[in-house]
Amino acid sequence: MEKVQHSDSLEVISTRKALDRSVKFVFKTTDRSTFEAVQLWEMAHEAYSVCMSSQAGCRYSCKHCATTFATTPFVRSLQAGEITSAVERIHETVKDSQGPLVWVDFSGIGDAAANWPQVATAARTVIDRKLAQDVRVTSIAPKAWVRKLLEPRSWLPGFFMFSLHGADVTQRRAVIPRADAPSSILPLWAEVADLRPVVLNYVLCEHNTRPEDEAMLIDLLTPYAGRFLGLRFSSFNPVPDSPLRPSLRASSFTTAVSRGLKGWTVARHLSAGRETTSACGQLRAEALQIESTSVKVDTRQS
């Protein structure tokens, strides 16, 4: 395995705590790049996990993500040592009370698929050092990356969550502008699901939860009954300037699809840590704005 050096110079520049025990961290690297990680309380496990970023900023421009609209432009992909160091810092805060983190989920800023060599190296190191019990990856799962996962001897995490967000390409690209068509990507995702548990995530917005969308989603997913671990509906956490709007039909849509999909496990998810400025990129944007103001004041005083 590739040797990963610990980044002792990684600095915590901001934190935010919530009543649900979530803690958000903003880290700064030696070249002043910033990224987020969130310590999340997993009630069912009575232990903490970490939502981990893979990049400083993101180029995918997903319309449900604060990174797209906040003043947090893409800077670069994170190095494996930086990722591991951040996980280790959070592990240190909880190890005495619970031992290792239950898992590290690469679902923060950036997409693991766009930085896979460094993410995979960091993930293996996290497991080898017993900083966490498992690694999970959340991704929009583009075709080229999924094909690499399916190559012989490819390293795979313990669990995947793939972002669907629409029953056809128009719906999906309203959320993820450069996304593959659902009909073309699902067969590849199903192959990954034969190797590891895969949950499909679907964010509930006005444009993809109309009555006619219920039948369209059921028709799309019915042939894959039994292949995936489940379908997770996520409530849209509004972010400033996003063209998307929360769905007023979220509950009825979820109920209708749950009844229509035979052989599927369907669940509804609400975001944790809202009081921590939970959407990816929001706390980082706030920290950068404060830092930028501070720099301007220092300049005027000098």
Side-chain angles (χ1 to χ4, degrees):
M1 186 180 72
E2 179 183 346
K3 185 177 181 180
V4 178
Q5 295 192 353
H6 177 74
S7 179
D8 291 321
S9 54
L10 199 66
E11 179 185 357
V12 178
I13 63 171
S14 185
T15 60
R16 185 75 60 80
K17 297 181 179 180
L19 295 176
D20 64 5
R21 302 175 69 169
S22 303
V23 184
K24 175 168 275 193
F25 299 81
V26 179
F27 293 97
K28 183 167 67 176
T29 66
T30 54
D31 66 355
R32 302 182 68 82
S33 299
T34 57
F35 64 94
E36 295 180 9
V38 188
Q39 177 183 318
L40 292 171
W41 179 247
E42 305 292 343
M43 184 70 69
H45 298 266
E46 290 290 310
Y48 283 106
S49 71
V50 170
C51 170
M52 187 66 213
S53 297
S54 56
Q55 298 176 291
C58 185
R59 285 177 168 156
Y60 280 119
S61 300
C62 297
K63 302 307 180 187
H64 66 319
C65 179
T67 300
T68 300
F69 305 101
T71 54
T72 54
F74 177 80
V75 179
R76 63 173 174 84
S77 292
L78 298 177
Q79 296 298 307
E82 294 167 337
I83 295 170
T84 305
S85 181
V87 173
E88 190 165 26
R89 293 286 186 92
I90 297 174
H91 166 77
E92 288 292 322
T93 70
V94 303
K95 69 174 185 178
D96 291 339
S97 60
Q98 74 170 50
L101 298 158
V102 284
W103 60 72
V104 175
D105 187 354
F106 287 93
S107 57
I109 293 177
D111 194 294
N115 188 27
W116 188 240
Q118 296 297 323
V119 169
T121 298
R124 292 195 298 265
T125 302
V126 163
I127 297 300
D128 288 347
R129 292 185 185 175
K130 295 181 172 56
L131 303 178
Q133 298 172 22
D134 197 8
V135 170
R136 301 181 169 195
V137 171
T138 298
S139 175
I140 68 171
K143 285 181 182 178
W145 177 65
V146 176
R147 289 191 180 107
K148 289 182 180 179
L149 296 178
L150 294 171
E151 292 176 356
R153 296 185 296 278
S154 292
W155 180 84
L156 298 175
F159 175 96
F160 287 102
M161 182 174 292
F162 292 159
S163 300
L164 182 59
H165 302 336
D168 64 15
V169 66
T170 301
Q171 287 184 341
R172 193 167 186 239
R173 286 182 180 170
V175 183
I176 311 167
R178 292 184 288 168
D180 299 306
S183 59
S184 68
I185 195 64
L186 273 170
L188 288 173
W189 288 2
E191 288 188 50
V192 175
D194 291 337
L195 304 173
R196 291 290 190 275
V198 175
V199 167
L200 304 186
N201 191 35
Y202 192 103
V203 65
L204 299 163
C205 303
E206 279 185 342
H207 79 282
N208 64 6
T209 56
R210 300 165 301 176
E212 59 267 32
D213 299 328
E214 297 166 2
M216 189 159 58
L217 185 60
I218 291 169
D219 288 344
L220 175 72
L221 296 182
T222 292
Y224 298 96
R227 299 289 295 277
F228 294 96
L229 186 61
L231 172 65
R232 188 181 83 162
F233 287 117
S234 297
S235 297
F236 175 50
N237 185 18
V239 296
D241 301 322
S242 172
L244 302 178
R245 295 291 178 268
S247 174
L248 298 178
R249 298 191 69 254
S251 294
S252 59
F253 181 84
T254 301
T255 299
V257 174
S258 299
R259 289 173 178 169
L261 275 179
K262 308 303 180 184
W264 277 83
T265 298
V266 180
R268 176 84 180 273
H269 173 75
L270 294 174
S271 297
R274 289 175 183 265
E275 299 91 341
T276 63
T277 314
S278 61
C280 288
Q282 287 181 325
L283 185 58
R284 177 178 176 238
E286 179 183 295
L288 290 177
Q289 289 164 3
I290 292 172
E291 189 172 69
S292 176
T293 302
S294 176
V295 169
K296 290 178 181 179
V297 170
D298 290 344
T299 301
R300 287 197 297 267
Q301 290 174 341
S302 61

